[in-house]
Amino acid sequence: MLSKLKALWRTMTRPAKHISLGVLTLGGFLAGVIFWGGFNTALEASNTEEFCIGCHEMRDNVYVELQQTVHWSNHSGVRATCPDCHVPHNWTDKIARKMQASKELWGTIFGTIDTREKFLAKRLELATHEWDRLSANGSLECKNCHEYASMDWDAMSEVARTQMEQAAERDQSCIDCHKGIAHELPESMAAASGALAGLQRQATSRFNPGQQYFSIRQLPLFTDSALSQEAGILNSGSVITVVAQQGDALQVEIDGWRKTKGFGRVINEEFGQNIREVTLEKEVATDDSMIQGFEVQEDPLTGLPWQRVSFQLWMGKDDLVDDREILWQEASELYVKNCSTCHSQPEEAHFDTNTWPGMWAGMLSFVNLDGDTQELVLKYLQKHSSDYSDGHH
Amino acid sequence: MALSRRSFLKGILGSGGAAMVGPSLLAPLSAKAAEETWKISGSHWGAFRARIAGGTVVELKPYEFDQTPTEMLEGIKGIIYSSSRIRYPMVRYEWYKNRGKANPSTRGDNRFIRVTWDQALDLFYQELERVQTTYGPWALHAGQTGWRQTGQMHSCNNHMQRAVGMHGNYIRKVGDYSTGAGQTIMPYVTGSTEVYAQGTSWPLILENSKVIVLWATDLAKNLQVGWNCETHESFDYLKQLQAKVADGNIRVISIDPVKSKTQHLLNCEQQYVHPQTDVAMMLAMAHTLYSEELHDQDFLDTYTLGFEDFIPYVMGEGEDKIAKTPEWAAQICGVDAERIKELARLMAAERTQLIFGWGLQRQQHGEQPYWMGAILAAMLGQIGLPGGGVSYAHHYSSIGVPASGASAPGAFPLNPDRPEDRVHQNSDYQGYSSTIPVARWVDAILEPGKKIQYNGTTSTLPDIKMMVFSGNNPWHHHQDRNRMKRAFEKLETVVAIDFAWTATCRHADIVLPACTQFERNDIDVYGSYCVRGVIAMQKLVDPLYQSRTDFEIMTELCRRFDKHKQYTRGMDEMEWVASLYQECREANKDRYVMPEFKQFWQDGIVLFDGMNNYVHHAAFREDPEINPLGTPSGFIEIFSRKIASFGYDDCKGHPTWMEKAERSHGGPGSDKHPLWLQSCHPDYRLHSQMCESKPMRERYAVQGREPIYMSPQDAKQYGISDGDLVRVFNDRGQLLAGAVVSDNYPQGVVRIHEGAWYGPEDEKMGALDTYGDPNTVTLDLGSSKLAQATSANTCLVSIEKFQGTAPEVTAFGGPSEVAPT
């Protein structure tokens, strides 16, 4: 039995690794022809939730986790079960996936993940397989139910909409951002991707009222201490002053300036300088009880009136540092490295604060930075522009 | 002058095949005769497979993915095996003998002696050391960089600047010769350089546009080449556009003095306009839109600032009290007033995509047509809609091809890893600017200390004593050769690193032979903007003659000041290539599966299948407050208070029609030199790259000279026939070119493609250029105080049939080798 299993294991795993998809497809096709009767029935049987949770590894770990999520229980009564997300709906891919899945079968027979501890230790590896697969197919199984084209942008909060529209523009794979949506994340997973993950290790966990802290990446702001009502997004590299703490939440004060054209949703750090600090939801921005307004001044270079404002909101405790230099150092390295691929990078002080966004936007197509990182580097450049430098240039 | 001691060994000029290849290459040929392999590589001209037999590249064929390969691929063998290859390190004879006391007028006499690599690198190092210690960083300009050969690991700009930067600080440039005016003005107007930004995807343009205006852009000519390895996918869309034009689904109008290659390809309409007068025509279109209330006032109110400060100028209520009516413009631009109105009405009636090229901003006041183009688009109110609005780069490097969204490989680092890696820490520029506008360095050499206005600041031009060029040919891309010659006589030391004897090498003191990109292993992105994949650039043959990779050359330079370990980070060529690949693989891991490096190198390429459509400025249109533009106000700035605050007379607060220093068709200077010389990007080269490739050159040269294209009317008037040699001249210089008479050209317009190699008869001021470099006669003038960019397309010339015996072409084949005495 064991030798037969081993032989089967070899035959079935090797092609997935080393032979092209074409051969794989052909193999699947032949298998389909030969075993048309029994094979298809078995295949359908293995495509049910009961089959998946037939072994305790699945039932006791990921299945329990799924039951805590919106994919299990929601107001519309639609439920996604295991095969909806994990088995491709298209037949060829389905076969390919089944062949990969024989590895998990191997695991159950030989006990690699037979305890919770062993499962947790192996979770990152297992999850990575699944993320890779979803990345490769553009999150096809998600898109069987969720389509960018069918999304009602207006029904979303501005925070969600901003992020989602960026993703839709690039037809981004859902799993890029939505890891952990149906099961828990592997323990060591950082929430920020790529370049900024390193900064998170330097995040502070002690907060003193009255002291300033600085955001590593774009962070959600809330109107309540339960962090349930979204108020806006704090930009990367922005400054907040802690007012109070309550459990996992911080009450923070933000001071800045906004243009009076529009709803006043964009809060900038200083008068006349387009250094974005916060993007507010419209309801918050237009609520005089939440936003304290002060003097209005006209910016001579655009003719637009700017108003000084101050407001207090709530946010989580993650991804804040107590020294802005930590952020600038990382941003400086990212700038120098990414912007010297084709040419020598201009000195930070070569442009002024309000010229940098235009130059930055005009070159972004050439750099590989995610949204959080783009914002941080841009803010670094603006805060080190000719407006803040007295050096001869 | 030591003429008597001169002993020419041999001229390498005009050699035949066997002499060209040389003994060092012939020797291993027999030994390797039996071996034959295919390899894959990439280039500015696209990806290809090469058959190597007997250690020689014998055949190239386009990589299968490329559906529209350029015929320039056939010029690549001519680059590798050219008579112009630099075979060994050489030093200019007069400089070698006399150094600082060298007679300046000998520069350019093309007499060099051969030295060893060690001698050459010692000299290079000694000169860097001398300039840093005698003067300081303000005297060294190593910032002039250009189009380099492709390959992210061996990118020569990065190697040269990292190595020189590890020795000390130096002068840098800002901007470039291609887009200097555009990339400076547009951040004030639409908040992006535009010239290097992704544009609306072709499928959306094809689906939504009813009218496409190609304003001075020749897509089919320029899309043949790319900044990285070009995929040529844009041509698929041009073919679809061709079908839509034929079916009457889309109307394409090419506004251009010349019938372009694209116009012929699409078989679309042309609208002739006098050279350099586009702004007048656009102002009149704005006049029509406004007078006939065809402009989108809601769009202007919501998304723009300053329309009310601009429109009085158009309507004749501005300072000049001149209404910019179609009748007014017709006198200047040569387009019938009714036709101007008709075009404006058509654009307002239909979904219209405006697409501008770059040549338009390479003229005096080149900022204005770009700004005015954005205002026209704003008045039409279609910015941010698919198939509407304005674009400034659909001719460039796969812009508009739906992108994969994948990350591209990075590059060998350009900067020293840490500031303390620099031998000379001195960063005192003594009051000089450390960064200067790219096209103003010749001004700096001629007038050190001069203060010029630039983009709201004052630049103090440095007193440059030494220059280092790598894979960069300013003796092609800068304007006015004789003025350059005067400047170069003032330079103490010039170092050039290249694989071929460009005119820049001829005017240098130390010349170091790099190998071509086909003689090294490298990695590149396939498709600069669409990121269709990552391609292995497998070494085809070993470096020819004594040439070395830039990596090797600069490692050895750094060894001389004990920084070679920091320079290489302890990695060799393949380790670097593999690490760039690994970083790219890591960056893509959530999106695309990439094989292990070993597998990738064997496969030669990994392709990404994502095709993401994009609409330029759509986010801004949807919510201009949350997604503001990068302008000072966040809106489209029709009037820029910021630019107005600079107080420049040649770039005011809104687009303005201004007369040029010289202009054809009745403009200033046209009574003396009547013809407008257009020096746009070539059809058969990448700038000056590949000009030395004989098999390619033979396809277009006329009597061995660069073609000058002209109208039948002008040919007749000047007694010139197709195939004649023509002397082209003005008060700045003279050149020889070969006449091509063509209906594509209107009267008063001649074209010589830039990038033709400069080959003066001798080193004397005013010498006749024997091959036909248009920059021999172009004007060296800043576009305006805003951008200080090149004004190459502001140029008038006279022509005559060349009489007498034509001098031999001196541009190719390298120097006269002199024995050391």
Side-chain angles (χ1 to χ4, degrees), chain B residues 214-229:
Chain B
L214 303 177
W215 207 306
T217 186
D218 198 348
L219 308 166
K221 168 165 70 69
N222 296 320
L223 285 166
Q224 295 180 95
V225 299
W227 173 249
N228 300 95
C229 185

Side-chain angles (χ1 to χ4, degrees), chain A residues 46 99 148 234 356:
Chain A
S46 70
M99 285 172 143
Y148 283 122
L234 183 69
W356 262 120

Side-chain angles (χ1 to χ4, degrees), chain A residues 135 165 169-171 176 259 263-265 274 276 279 300-301 336-337 344-345 352 358 362 366 368 392, chain B residues 152 172 191-193 196 198 227 408 415 431 529 583 590-591 612-613 622-623 625-626 628 632-633 641-642:
Chain A
S135 293
E165 282 182 340
E169 210 162 75
R170 304 160 60 204
D171 193 23
D176 286 2
K259 295 166 193 169
F263 300 110
R265 285 172 292 173
N274 296 321
R276 186 178 300 203
T279 309
L301 290 181
V336 166
K337 181 176 176 194
S344 61
Q345 74 287 353
D352 65 29
F366 266 111
N368 306 322
H392 189 92
Chain B
Q152 294 295 85
R172 292 162 189 267
S192 158
T193 63
Y196 295 127
Q198 182 60 278
W227 173 249
N415 298 284
Y529 284 85
E583 274 180 34
D590 290 339
R591 276 172 289 182
N612 302 310
N613 279 318
E622 198 200 277
D623 192 334
E625 186 179 23
I626 298 286
S633 63
R641 290 196 184 199
K642 192 164 174 183

Side-chain angles (χ1 to χ4, degrees), chain B residues 9 14 60 67 91 193 236 240 333 337 375 378 394 433-434 489 540 565 586 642-643 657 682 749:
Chain B
L9 287 181
L60 263 79
Q67 295 303 301
V91 176
T193 63
D236 300 346
Q240 293 176 38
C333 68
I375 294 181
H394 270 89
S433 295
S434 58
E489 288 185 358
L540 306 186
K565 284 186 189 133
E586 181 67 21
K642 192 164 174 183
I643 292 178
W657 160 250
V749 172

